Amino acid sequence: MCNGCVQKEYPDRGNTCLENGSFLMNYLGCVNCHQRDFVLISNKTMEDEDGEEIVTYDHVCKNCEHVVARHEYTFSVVDEYQEYTMLCMLCGKAEDSISVLPDDPRQSAPLF
């Protein structure tokens, strides 16, 4: 991973978790070949460990294949909630939780 290729390391992305793709707004350009071109995805793996889906891949420079960052995305269902996390030097860090029920109990107003 290369901190010279990114504007900010692990920016806070709130609840925006990317399973695929790249956050190019944070990409300065490749420090190896000095080009600012597209970032490709390589070495993508998908694993399922105890009900948790883990997707990992490398962001690499299109021109010289320099590894810009390693991306990790996880998905799981915990107590009626879908849990998402993302950790990547380029794309940032984020987590989200969404109810699998039609109405999210956390969003309902108290009756009294």
Side-chain angles (χ1 to χ4, degrees):
M1 297 190 302
C2 182
N3 60 356
C5 296
V6 298
Q7 186 172 353
K8 183 178 180 183
E9 293 182 32
Y10 303 98
D12 184 5
R13 297 293 304 282
N15 61 357
T16 303
C17 297
L18 303 175
E19 180 179 359
N20 201 1
S22 305
F23 182 47
L24 295 178
M25 296 287 290
N26 193 35
Y27 183 54
L28 291 174
C30 180
V31 297
N32 195 41
C33 70
H34 307 289
Q35 299 290 315
R36 188 176 194 280
D37 209 337
F38 289 109
V39 176
L40 302 177
I41 292 173
S42 71
N43 301 324
K44 187 171 183 175
T45 62
M46 294 180 172
E47 299 176 21
D48 193 351
E49 294 181 7
D50 299 325
E52 182 176 57
E53 177 184 315
I54 303 170
V55 177
T56 57
Y57 56 87
D58 294 332
H59 295 285
V60 296
C61 173
K62 174 185 171 185
N63 300 303
C64 69
E65 297 183 2
H66 171 73
V67 177
V68 175
R70 179 117 176 115
H71 189 102
E72 182 176 294
Y73 165 88
T74 62
F75 167 79
S76 61
V77 177
V78 179
D79 297 332
E80 299 179 349
Y81 290 94
Q82 295 176 335
E83 304 284 338
Y84 303 89
T85 64
M86 174 184 72
L87 185 62
C88 176
M89 185 182 288
L90 175 64
C91 299
K93 57 185 174 186
E95 54 185 42
D96 197 9
S97 178
I98 301 170
S99 175
V100 297
L101 301 173
D103 295 316
D104 189 342
R106 296 175 296 187
Q107 303 297 325
S108 61
L111 297 174
F112 300 100

